[in-house]
Amino acid sequence: MVTTGETLVTQQETSNFDLASYLKDKQQLVEAALDRSLAITRPETIYEAMRYSLLAGGKRLRPILCLTTCELLGGTLEMALPTACALEMIHTMSLIHDDLPAMDNDDYRRGKLTNHKKYGEDIAILAGDGLLAYAFEYAATQTRNVDPHNLINVLGRLGRTVGPAGLVGGQVLDLESEGKPDITVDTLKFIHTHKTGALLETSVVSGAILAGGSTEDIQRLSQYAQNIGLAFQIIDDILDITSTQEELGKTAGKDLRDQKATYPSLWGLEESKKQAQNLVSGAIAQLTPYGNKAEPLRAIANFIVTRNN
Amino acid sequence: MVTTGETLVTQQETSNFDLASYLKDKQQLVEAALDRSLAITRPETIYEAMRYSLLAGGKRLRPILCLTTCELLGGTLEMALPTACALEMIHTMSLIHDDLPAMDNDDYRRGKLTNHKKYGEDIAILAGDGLLAYAFEYAATQTRNVDPHNLINVLGRLGRTVGPAGLVGGQVLDLESEGKPDITVDTLKFIHTHKTGALLETSVVSGAILAGGSTEDIQRLSQYAQNIGLAFQIIDDILDITSTQEELGKTAGKDLRDQKATYPSLWGLEESKKQAQNLVSGAIAQLTPYGNKAEPLRAIANFIVTRNN
């Protein structure tokens, strides 16, 4: 997963921890669990449509963050796996609905036809609804050996993360900001903390809660997650520009073409890189009390600023 | 609520219980709770769109069934009210998405513009998503004095009720059955038990679970709910025909015009009435152990077959 090409920001720490191999192992675990989570039954169309997008690949970053945090605080993979799957179902649902003609109107995602291009718009809306509802059913009915108060806490946070105080709220402000390159940093941060940050934070925090983490653990890991979520978005915006600069002759980056406000457009490229690096440093500082056990979360934070795709 | 016009089926029992006044009281309680459940904050558009459909009136039958069943088994209104609101949020979400252009493409509901006609298709999709997610957040975070295992049970059932094993599955088979008047009774029952029956059943059963009802209570009340759910649908189909016959000069009923398979089209009118009455009698038989305390549920069952709109 860690690429060898030019990095955007100098890697802060070197470590013998093999992140690529760690992510690969966890990814395989998640893929197998997702595959088992949803058997096809009547009416077959909807299960096929849900599985089509749920099993379309991807980094599985959200489930992995949940599993990793649960293990960090002494929990087992088994305790976190149903919630990890639920997080990916929710993420998939948000992609299916974002791709709809009434939203971003995308025909392809990860090289495959989007859900509505493959199954029709009606089924795609229902596949999203089905994945969202099934995420709650799955986490509520499949979780074992977790204090029930902690599970209720996690289910409530999952709901908040998708609703108007999370994904949905972020998407609405994003839609309202289209074609307005002069929006404020405050609005831009609101969009990202809601649209992408909230689910990343809940991925980390839910792992901590399922493991029975203390209030201090949850606060530390929440701050870690908020920082890497925002850094992730800033780097996304930077890559949209720099990958264009590297590949001369191609049309300008999508954000620039769409006159979309981004961190580089508001802060400039250098300041954006600096902010991203500061956020990652702050994230890593939160992990100090956990020592070597936090190596996976540390490596994931560094990976975010060093990735180049 | 109980109309005085011609009834479809002879009322099985007479009682001094004043259903109209009972429903009115509970309805006011639910309206106030729904109004309090969702305050408007940034981004205002999505909260307004969610409130527009959530507070657009309606019988509030699902929340009332949940409250009534919880009280029947010795629980308090307070214990069931957050779940009751969640049930109405879920019901509202299903109406918003069903009305979308890609689905039934309806411009009006209850005399008001549908959500997408008022706010646009993108916001309507997100308002439905938001209500679905918020239903889980609300029930998980606002429920008090309920055994946490019982609350998890309810949250899992809510998820199942909306997902491919519930509303979404029923809607898919309904879409696939369009323009096929020769579908079997089995398929018709599948559509209705999933599309409308499942949420009615969960409304009743969740009230029983929140109150700490026994396995036998839950089985009895589940059967009660399945029976009235199916009877409700049969009567809907009958009314689509008989209200046409009463109002001569109007075009034929919508189902007939759409060549839609219905219970009367498969069974005939008389047999359909008989089946609905049998289902209601079966529902009421399940209430025997509860004596007079079950009078509200008994009256609601009778109301279903005696209503004429």
Side-chain angles (χ1 to χ4, degrees):
Chain A
M1 279 278 177
V2 177
T3 55
T4 52
E6 190 199 28
T7 57
L8 285 165
V9 181
T10 313
Q11 195 160 352
Q12 195 179 42
E13 295 184 24
T14 53
S15 146
N16 290 324
F17 179 76
D18 184 352
L19 180 64
S21 146
Y22 180 86
L23 292 176
K24 194 177 164 200
D25 285 354
K26 285 281 190 289
Q27 203 178 8
Q28 282 173 349
L29 182 74
V30 171
E31 289 296 337
L34 289 173
D35 189 27
R36 281 194 310 270
S37 72
L38 196 60
I40 294 176
T41 178
R42 190 186 192 201
E44 288 75 9
T45 317
I46 190 68
Y47 290 94
E48 283 163 11
M50 289 164 70
R51 285 178 61 88
Y52 175 79
S53 293
L54 185 63
L55 302 175
K59 290 187 284 294
R60 311 305 193 189
L61 183 60
R62 290 153 195 84
I64 291 172
L65 283 170
C66 176
L67 295 171
T68 299
T69 310
C70 186
E71 282 193 305
L72 170 70
L73 298 184
T76 63
L77 290 175
E78 187 213 10
M79 288 163 79
L81 203 48
T83 298
C85 289
L87 288 159
E88 193 68 14
M89 291 172 195
I90 286 171
H91 177 57
T92 304
M93 165 266 172
S94 77
L95 301 180
I96 295 174
H97 282 190
D98 277 3
D99 287 339
L100 286 168
M103 306 269 211
D104 297 346
N105 196 19
D106 281 317
D107 290 355
Y108 289 92
R109 180 173 287 277
R110 294 181 188 137
K112 289 176 71 176
L113 286 173
T114 46
N115 202 288
H116 67 273
K117 292 303 283 184
K118 174 90 176 172
Y119 293 97
E121 211 177 317
D122 48 357
I123 296 295
I125 293 168
L126 290 166
D129 294 347
L131 281 167
L132 178 53
Y134 191 60
F136 288 97
E137 178 188 350
Y138 195 73
T141 61
Q142 301 303 308
T143 303
R144 302 282 178 273
N145 302 321
V146 168
D147 181 315
H149 293 97
N150 292 342
L151 181 54
I152 291 168
N153 188 349
V154 165
L155 294 170
R157 283 171 188 258
L158 285 178
R160 184 171 174 83
T161 299
V162 189
L167 287 173
V168 159
Q171 174 72 357
V172 168
L173 207 59
D174 198 13
L175 290 168
E176 288 177 348
S177 304
E178 260 177 22
K180 293 181 187 165
D182 57 345
I183 62 166
T184 62
V185 168
D186 173 62
T187 298
L188 197 61
K189 276 194 181 168
F190 184 100
I191 292 170
H192 294 143
T193 53
H194 288 71
K195 198 173 162 174
T196 54
L199 191 56
L200 286 170
E201 188 193 349
T202 298
S203 302
V204 169
V205 169
S206 63
I209 294 169
L210 292 167
S214 68
T215 309
E216 200 208 318
D217 287 326
I218 291 166
Q219 280 171 352
R220 283 192 168 276
L221 293 163
S222 167
Q223 192 60 58
Y224 163 87
Q226 288 176 45
N227 281 29
I228 66 166
L230 196 49
F232 190 90
Q233 189 59 52
I234 295 173
I235 298 295
D236 249 15
D237 288 356
I238 294 174
L239 288 170
D240 187 73
I241 295 169
T242 56
S243 54
T244 309
Q245 290 175 341
E246 282 162 7
E247 301 160 337
L248 290 175
K250 281 190 63 172
T251 51
K254 195 173 185 301
D255 295 338
L256 213 62
R257 202 173 57 235
D258 296 350
Q259 288 224 302
K260 199 171 168 179
T262 66
Y263 292 103
S265 77
L266 292 168
W267 286 338
L269 210 53
E270 284 314 306
E271 177 65 17
S272 299
K273 285 180 190 178
K274 198 175 133 196
Q275 294 272 358
Q277 184 58 61
N278 285 346
L279 286 164
V280 168
S281 301
I284 289 172
Q286 295 293 339
L287 303 175
T288 310
Y290 308 110
N292 285 340
K293 279 191 302 178
E295 208 49 52
L297 288 184
R298 218 171 269 127
I300 289 170
N302 276 319
F303 165 62
I304 283 172
V305 281
T306 55
R307 72 198 172 100
N308 57 11
N309 64 36
Chain B
M1 279 275 176
V2 177
T3 54
T4 51
E6 189 200 31
T7 57
L8 285 164
V9 181
T10 314
Q11 197 161 352
Q12 197 180 40
E13 293 184 25
T14 54
S15 146
N16 290 325
F17 179 76
D18 184 352
L19 180 63
S21 145
Y22 180 86
L23 292 176
K24 194 178 163 197
D25 285 355
K26 286 280 190 289
Q27 203 178 7
Q28 283 173 349
L29 181 75
V30 171
E31 290 296 338
L34 289 173
D35 190 27
R36 280 193 311 271
S37 72
L38 196 60
I40 295 177
T41 178
R42 190 185 191 201
E44 288 76 8
T45 318
I46 190 67
Y47 289 94
E48 283 164 10
M50 288 164 71
R51 285 178 61 89
Y52 175 79
S53 293
L54 185 62
L55 302 176
K59 291 187 283 295
R60 311 305 192 188
L61 183 60
R62 290 153 195 84
I64 292 173
L65 283 169
C66 176
L67 296 172
T68 300
T69 310
C70 186
E71 281 194 304
L72 170 71
L73 297 185
T76 63
L77 291 174
E78 187 213 9
M79 289 163 79
L81 204 48
T83 298
C85 290
L87 288 159
E88 193 68 14
M89 291 172 194
I90 287 172
H91 177 56
T92 304
M93 163 266 172
S94 77
L95 300 180
I96 295 174
H97 283 190
D98 277 4
D99 287 339
L100 287 167
M103 305 271 210
D104 296 346
N105 196 17
D106 282 316
D107 291 354
Y108 289 92
R109 179 173 289 275
R110 294 181 189 138
K112 289 175 71 176
L113 286 172
T114 47
N115 202 288
H116 66 275
K117 291 303 281 185
K118 175 91 177 171
Y119 293 98
E121 211 176 317
D122 48 358
I123 296 295
I125 293 168
L126 291 166
D129 294 348
L131 282 167
L132 179 52
Y134 191 61
F136 288 98
E137 178 189 350
Y138 195 74
T141 61
Q142 301 303 308
T143 302
R144 301 284 178 272
N145 302 320
V146 167
D147 180 314
H149 294 98
N150 292 341
L151 181 54
I152 291 169
N153 188 348
V154 164
L155 294 170
R157 283 171 189 256
L158 285 179
R160 184 172 173 82
T161 299
V162 189
L167 286 173
V168 160
Q171 175 72 356
V172 169
L173 207 60
D174 197 13
L175 290 167
E176 289 178 348
S177 303
E178 261 176 22
K180 292 181 187 166
D182 58 344
I183 63 166
T184 63
V185 168
D186 174 61
T187 297
L188 197 60
K189 276 194 180 168
F190 184 100
I191 293 170
H192 294 143
T193 53
H194 288 69
K195 198 173 161 175
T196 54
L199 190 57
L200 286 170
E201 189 192 348
T202 297
S203 302
V204 169
V205 169
S206 62
I209 294 168
L210 292 167
S214 68
T215 308
E216 200 208 318
D217 287 325
I218 291 165
Q219 280 172 351
R220 284 193 167 275
L221 292 164
S222 166
Q223 192 61 60
Y224 163 88
Q226 287 176 46
N227 280 28
I228 66 166
L230 196 49
F232 190 89
Q233 189 60 52
I234 296 173
I235 298 295
D236 249 13
D237 288 356
I238 293 173
L239 288 170
D240 187 75
I241 295 170
T242 55
S243 54
T244 310
Q245 290 175 340
E246 282 162 5
E247 301 161 336
L248 290 175
K250 282 189 64 172
T251 51
K254 193 171 186 300
D255 294 340
L256 212 63
R257 201 171 58 233
D258 296 350
Q259 288 225 304
K260 198 172 168 181
T262 66
Y263 292 103
S265 77
L266 291 167
W267 285 339
L269 210 53
E270 283 315 306
E271 179 63 17
S272 298
K273 286 181 190 178
K274 199 174 133 196
Q275 294 270 359
Q277 184 58 62
N278 285 346
L279 286 164
V280 168
S281 301
I284 288 171
Q286 296 292 340
L287 304 175
T288 309
Y290 307 109
N292 285 341
K293 279 192 300 179
E295 207 50 50
L297 288 184
R298 218 171 270 127
I300 289 170
N302 276 319
F303 165 61
I304 284 172
V305 280
T306 56
R307 74 197 170 99
N308 56 13
N309 64 35

